[in-house]
Amino acid sequence: MTKRETIVAFFKDMMRPRTLKEIIDIEMRDAYLCKMQAEKSLEYATSVVDYNRQRIRRLQEKLLEIGEKDA
């Protein structure tokens, strides 16, 4: 198959109507990718919240420690 034939075949395939199964497969793949992205974002946000909770706890302990030294 020549380059030209390959290109023509590619465009013919792109222009043909898709079957219901092909449309559903495309939507399913997109749904999985969106779900994975949302889970990744949730994991990141949860780690940021946990980090800041630990940071606040550490800083509060330091403030108490400093307050006891001043008294």
Side-chain angles (χ1 to χ4, degrees):
M1 188 177 257
T2 66
K3 266 190 195 180
R4 183 173 187 274
E5 290 171 336
T6 303
I7 292 170
V8 169
F10 172 78
F11 281 111
K12 279 184 181 178
D13 185 55
M14 291 298 291
M15 301 308 259
R16 74 174 174 76
R18 299 288 176 216
T19 65
L20 183 58
K21 183 183 180 325
E22 288 173 324
I23 293 169
I24 291 171
D25 286 342
I26 291 167
E27 287 290 319
M28 185 70 83
R29 186 184 70 208
D30 185 51
Y32 272 114
L33 290 174
C34 288
K35 178 179 163 277
M36 289 171 59
Q37 179 65 40
E39 289 172 343
K40 183 173 81 170
S41 297
L42 177 62
E43 288 173 3
Y44 175 76
T46 301
S47 69
V48 169
V49 169
D50 288 341
Y51 166 77
N52 282 302
R53 280 184 182 150
Q54 292 172 1
R55 185 175 166 207
I56 289 168
R57 189 177 318 117
R58 185 178 64 250
L59 292 170
Q60 286 174 336
E61 289 172 1
K62 196 63 161 174
L63 278 176
L64 287 174
E65 186 181 306
I66 291 171
E68 291 173 0
K69 288 183 181 179
D70 289 343

